[in-house]
Amino acid sequence: MALTGLFLSFFLIIHLIGNLQLLLPEEQAHLQYNLYSDFLSTNFLVQLIAYVLYATILLHTIDAIYLTIKAKKASGAGYVKDKRNRASKWYARQMMLLGSIVFAFLVIHFKDFWYPYKFGELPMDANGNKDLFSLVITSFQELWYVILYAVAILSLGFHLLHGFFSAFRSVGVHHPKYNQLIKSIGVVFAISLTFGYLIIPFFIYFNF
Amino acid sequence: MKIHLKVWRQKNRHTKGKMHDYTLTEVDEEMSFLEMLDMLNLQLAKKGERPVEFDHDCREGICGQCGVMINGIAHGPLKNTTTCQLHMRSFKDGDTIYVEPFQAKAFPVIRDLKVNRTSLDEIIAAGGYVSVNTGQAPEANTILVSHEEAENAFDAAACIGCGACVATCKNASAALFTGAKIAQLARLPQGKKESNKRTINMVNRMEDLDFGHCTNTEACQVECPQDISVLTIAEMNYEYNKAKLKD
């Protein structure tokens, strides 16, 4: 869980950096983003890592389902009056729910961008690359779509807020000083990624 | 003060339990929670009813025998306190208090508020022995232990094995308990020889028993009477990964 989670966290940084190109001036963003997308879908090394990524997403999901079933079995009948929530953060207890929202979002995300790009017919841009940029811009013209993204990204943000430091604990980092540091880095990481990913749909919605 | 109680009554592990209502009228605020339950039992005994069974021993907060869910919180509203060290001054006149046994598949109810926590003993037993020199009393400085090392080890050794960590964990995980037991020895030079085997056996035993997995919600430390650090769980993971690499 921890290792797959950390790998996915690393991917999120790379994915965000790539997508931030959408915020460049329109002319430049249009060609550069399509060129970048073409590079990702044709480079052998990137393709190889992409398969590792798909496997990681599946492993992370299967592990989460297994642990949730195990916890459900272990929990017993439950309490008539249950105030155990006072001892932990809501997002730490709802990792499965947050993860499920992110997974559902991933399915939509793949269907709307990954699938049409890989297997669909897309028009070409001036440089002869598939015009993913226009597809992205068109998609984010709809307010409901922007809101859907915002909900998914916020879920991801809270998932990371707990998941980041938790992963380090699971692999065995137990020095009090470094744990505090990792916890702080985790907060900065989760907030930065949430903000970074949120800004894109809203920027497109209000500027195009 | 007047206290309304809703107490879990269950004849044995095979029968279904349910909450029963009782009212006590002369509860003193200086009474401990367990003394209040004694008072209830005295009333029940006088009426010829079966008393409420609950675990207790030292009543000084050090043995780890007592432990019930009070108003949905392990050991009640005070943080880092055992049930026996909770006093009725923490409640108000006319309060309704829910009293339930610790719930986890690994802690089957024996009767009423009494649960079987043998599974925790099984984890310790899986750890096996620690090699020590026998014979005459050894020279005091044969094995050097710094003050910090001794204090750190004792921080983990302070675990009284009450099971509140399991009861309060949403996954019913025994990671804090097992982590404390592993860290206690891992922080000392003694027992290093068996360290890898001990860690693997204890963690594997914990996994085999009906406990859930730790997801680091950190709720266990909040309710732990001894405030055992959640970092002992990370230390257990470290020791386990290290042992597995050498295995």
Side-chain angles (χ1 to χ4, degrees):
Chain A
M1 203 74 201
L3 293 177
T4 50
L6 287 174
F7 180 75
L8 292 172
S9 298
F10 178 69
F11 160 75
L12 285 172
I13 303 172
I14 308 294
H15 192 51
L16 178 62
I17 294 169
N19 284 356
L20 284 176
Q21 292 175 93
L22 290 162
L23 306 183
L24 290 169
E26 190 185 345
E27 289 289 303
Q28 194 188 346
H30 196 147
L31 296 176
Q32 193 172 319
Y33 188 73
N34 287 342
L35 181 69
Y36 169 72
S37 306
D38 186 66
F39 165 74
L40 292 186
S41 61
T42 50
N43 185 283
F44 172 73
L45 196 65
V46 178
Q47 284 298 294
L48 198 70
I49 296 169
Y51 285 113
V52 176
L53 177 70
Y54 305 146
T56 309
I57 293 170
L58 285 178
L59 273 175
H60 197 71
T61 310
I62 293 165
D63 209 3
I65 294 168
Y66 166 72
L67 292 181
T68 306
I69 293 170
K70 194 177 174 194
K72 195 118 187 99
K73 278 187 189 162
S75 292
Y79 298 103
V80 175
K81 193 176 178 81
D82 194 345
K83 290 276 178 195
R84 290 178 296 165
N85 291 358
R86 74 153 186 182
S88 57
K89 302 272 195 310
W90 73 267
Y91 51 84
R93 295 189 304 272
Q94 300 298 344
M95 287 297 274
M96 187 61 185
L97 174 71
L98 294 167
S100 303
I101 295 172
V102 174
F103 188 81
F105 162 79
L106 270 182
V107 174
I108 298 169
H109 194 58
F110 268 66
K111 179 191 140 293
D112 288 350
F113 299 119
W114 179 83
Y115 187 82
Y117 190 84
K118 283 259 182 187
F119 306 105
E121 288 289 320
L122 282 184
M124 298 294 177
D125 68 4
N127 286 347
N129 292 320
K130 280 187 176 179
D131 195 3
L132 185 64
F133 179 83
S134 298
L135 178 66
V136 173
I137 300 298
T138 319
S139 302
F140 288 118
Q141 298 303 313
E142 300 283 343
L143 182 63
W144 70 267
Y145 203 71
V146 174
I147 292 169
L148 177 85
Y149 258 64
V151 171
I153 299 303
L154 283 174
S155 302
L156 176 67
F158 281 112
H159 197 77
L160 290 172
L161 199 56
H162 177 73
F164 188 85
F165 92 87
S166 178
F168 281 93
R169 290 270 179 88
S170 297
V171 294
V173 180
H174 62 277
H175 194 291
K177 194 170 78 182
Y178 298 121
N179 260 283
Q180 199 46 52
L181 182 70
I182 288 166
K183 238 179 173 173
S184 307
I185 292 171
V187 173
V188 174
F189 178 75
I191 293 173
S192 311
L193 252 69
T194 308
F195 185 73
Y197 275 112
L198 268 183
I199 209 169
I200 299 167
F202 282 101
F203 175 85
I204 295 173
Y205 182 74
F206 288 112
N207 284 285
F208 286 90
Chain B
M1 57 203 267
K2 192 174 184 177
I3 294 290
H4 303 286
L5 289 171
K6 286 183 181 292
V7 183
W8 183 264
R9 303 300 311 262
Q10 184 173 340
K11 204 168 178 193
N12 57 52
R13 65 178 297 187
H14 304 295
T15 55
K16 258 188 119 175
K18 64 174 185 172
M19 301 301 273
H20 277 246
D21 293 351
Y22 302 101
T23 299
L24 295 176
T25 49
E26 289 178 7
V27 175
D28 193 302
E29 62 174 20
E30 300 305 324
M31 277 179 174
S32 75
F33 194 84
L34 296 186
E35 283 168 338
M36 184 272 296
L37 287 181
D38 290 339
M39 191 181 176
L40 168 69
N41 278 344
L42 195 62
Q43 282 190 15
L44 291 175
K46 277 180 182 169
K47 282 195 278 182
E49 290 179 33
R50 185 169 60 80
V52 176
E53 291 198 20
F54 59 92
D55 270 325
H56 63 99
D57 190 5
C58 75
R59 298 202 176 198
E60 291 178 331
I62 52 173
C63 77
Q65 268 299 302
C66 64
V68 288
M69 293 299 276
I70 301 165
N71 282 340
I73 299 166
H75 293 301
L78 299 183
K79 288 185 182 174
N80 308 128
T81 308
T82 53
T83 301
C84 64
Q85 291 305 299
L86 174 70
H87 290 78
M88 295 312 291
R89 54 181 170 267
S90 294
F91 301 94
K92 293 194 304 293
D93 183 35
D95 271 1
T96 299
I97 307 173
Y98 286 73
V99 194
E100 296 174 69
F102 283 170
Q103 287 274 7
K105 196 167 174 236
F107 290 171
V109 172
I110 298 170
R111 179 173 281 182
D112 299 332
L113 306 173
K114 219 157 95 176
V115 296
N116 186 347
R117 287 169 288 185
T118 309
S119 46
L120 295 184
D121 299 332
E122 284 185 38
I123 295 173
I124 293 181
Y129 58 86
V130 175
S131 294
V132 288
N133 291 328
T134 54
Q136 284 188 327
E139 203 280 316
N141 295 319
T142 310
I143 302 171
L144 295 176
V145 182
S146 72
H147 178 71
E148 287 77 14
E149 279 174 331
E151 285 295 327
N152 284 339
F154 196 73
D155 283 347
C159 167
I160 53 176
C162 65
C165 47
V166 178
T168 211
C169 175
K170 77 175 184 70
N171 308 322
S173 165
L176 190 70
F177 171 82
T178 315
K181 300 302 169 199
I182 287 174
Q184 161 191 341
L185 287 170
R187 292 173 185 181
L188 287 172
Q190 294 96 330
K192 277 277 180 283
K193 197 167 171 55
E194 299 87 9
S195 178
N196 291 340
K197 203 172 125 196
R198 175 173 59 242
T199 306
I200 290 174
N201 287 345
M202 287 176 81
V203 172
N204 287 349
R205 191 75 195 107
M206 174 183 75
E207 295 284 333
D208 290 343
L209 292 163
D210 292 321
F211 294 109
H213 195 268
C214 173
T215 53
N216 296 311
T217 68
E218 301 186 334
C220 48
Q221 184 177 351
V222 176
E223 308 302 3
C224 171
Q226 298 296 329
D227 197 17
I228 301 292
S229 170
V230 286
L231 293 182
T232 57
I233 300 173
E235 194 167 345
M236 169 182 73
N237 294 335
Y238 171 78
E239 292 292 333
Y240 183 76
N241 293 338
K242 191 178 75 178
K244 279 302 241 187
L245 285 174
K246 287 182 181 172
D247 196 22

